[in-house]
Amino acid sequence: MNNVVSLPLPAAVAAAPTAHPPRIALLGTGNVGGAFVARCDALRAAGVPLPAFAWLSNSRALDPCVDGVPGLALERLRAAPPHPGPWSPWVEAESLRRGDILVDASASDLVAGWHGEWLARGIHVVTANKLGAGADGERARAVARAQQEGGACYGDAATVGAGLPLLRSIRDLRAGGDRIHAIAGMLSGSLAWLFDRYDGRRPFSGFVRQARDAGYTEPDPREDLSGEDVRRKLLILARAAGIALEAREVAVESLLTPALAAASHDAVDAALGDLDAPLRARYAAACKRSAKLGFIARLQCNDDGGVRATVGPEALDGADPLAAGAGTDNRVAIWSDRYCDQPLLIQGPGAGAGVTAAALVDDLLRIVAGR
């Protein structure tokens, strides 16, 4: 099974030769980008052959890694002054050639908007950025078209489940003639951790701060608490299942209060206390039913061809297949023709720079190996 999307190609495109060894280019030098570089260094030290880095970049600067040590390039980039003018990932990617591998470890909408352009040029894209296939439908369709035009691969295992075999399982089921009827899951490792730790006695806001400081949430935890990240992941899963779902068709119940949603960046920490009373009430109501709180994404394909998609907090009873997860685990249930009475369950760690970077490297290795 393979997370790298590789669609059937026209013969001329598929046979287009690569005249040089592939190189790696990294966009994004935050926690995930740093963990990706560290994992590549560890594999090289263990004797695993990997392509050389063409360059590493963030929104401040580009480092050509002329010394061949990406870890040092990473340090230089993190210390670099801000970019002196308008920054464009396209300008930096101009140096790449057919067969090179661009790794997007950013969360940038600007960068994700170029995925299709790079693929059409025959540049492979490996991404943890959900704004490529998890944004509007036209962008996702452009990514799929570009793979056929350019003969390149799109490695997206890190976009959902931090490398768990979710996307490749759904794609393999479809390739075998199966039809997906429903998907439900805890798709956010940070929210899974929060609801697993929350006990109704200590403030929920305190757990949010812990999760942020541990790197489970984004630096601004509202990106997780809003449910938008989970919406994008559900869109990616739905599209992998062959369902042309649009963002507006997913009903999202955010955990944010209006005041917290509107708070300035500097005021977010002080405003987190707005979460405490609503979550305490939810927890108490769930306890009365002997249920467990979770932040759940659901996709249901109806017999009439309609689709219902929701994202938000739910009280799960003990018999629910999603109720058994713990910690940062993502737990996903898939119902299909094959798995109609009991769903296929996939579970494992779904948060953290390490597991996300490992998924990026796995896709990178598959592309290098031609799988």
Side-chain angles (χ1 to χ4, degrees), residues 7-16 98 144-152:
L7 300 179
L9 303 174
V13 173
R98 170 178 291 275
R145 288 195 302 269
Q147 291 172 72
Q148 292 184 306
E149 294 169 4

Side-chain angles (χ1 to χ4, degrees), residues 275-370:
L275 298 166
D276 295 336
L279 266 296
R280 191 180 305 115
R282 284 187 184 275
Y283 186 87
C287 282
K288 289 181 179 178
R289 296 173 42 193
S290 298
K292 176 182 178 180
L293 279 180
F295 199 87
I296 307 300
R298 292 191 184 274
L299 175 72
Q300 179 68 52
C301 303
N302 302 322
D303 293 338
D304 61 3
V307 176
R308 183 171 183 268
T310 61
V311 167
E314 292 184 18
L316 305 170
D317 63 40
D320 193 292
L322 304 180
T328 63
D329 279 2
N330 279 191
R331 187 173 175 87
V332 179
I334 301 168
W335 289 265
S336 68
D337 287 348
R338 186 184 306 180
Y339 299 102
C340 55
D341 296 324
Q342 286 185 302
L344 171 65
L345 289 174
I346 300 172
Q347 178 178 338
V355 289
T356 303
L360 292 173
V361 173
D362 288 348
D363 275 346
L364 169 71
L365 292 172
R366 291 187 184 101
I367 289 171
V368 171

Side-chain angles (χ1 to χ4, degrees), residues 23-29 36-37 52-58 61-66 70 73-74 77 87-97 100-103 118 123:
R23 301 168 300 168
I24 304 168
L26 174 66
L27 277 169
T29 59
F36 172 79
V37 169
F53 276 79
W55 47 257
L56 296 81
S57 175
N58 56 25
L62 179 145
D63 192 298
C65 198
V66 292
L74 193 72
L77 282 169
W87 177 82
S88 170
W90 177 254
V91 173
E92 300 182 351
E94 269 295 292
S95 65
L96 298 182
R97 303 166 296 196
D100 285 338
I101 304 166
L102 189 142
V103 179
W118 294 325
I123 297 167

Side-chain angles (χ1 to χ4, degrees), residues 143-220:
V143 165
R145 288 195 302 269
Q147 291 172 72
Q148 292 184 306
E149 294 169 4
C153 297
Y154 194 63
D156 58 357
T159 60
V160 186
L164 292 176
L166 294 171
L167 291 169
R168 73 174 185 246
S169 294
I170 289 171
R171 288 167 180 151
D172 282 351
L173 288 174
R174 287 190 66 209
D178 206 350
R179 292 180 304 157
I180 307 300
H181 300 302
I183 301 171
M186 292 184 180
L187 300 179
S188 167
S190 55
L191 290 172
W193 186 91
L194 286 168
F195 282 110
D196 184 52
R197 287 295 184 93
Y198 185 54
D199 56 10
R201 299 189 300 274
R202 291 171 288 176
F204 189 79
S205 56
F207 291 103
V208 173
R209 293 185 182 98
Q210 289 181 35
R212 178 196 60 200
D213 295 344
Y216 294 149
T217 71
E218 297 296 327
D220 185 340

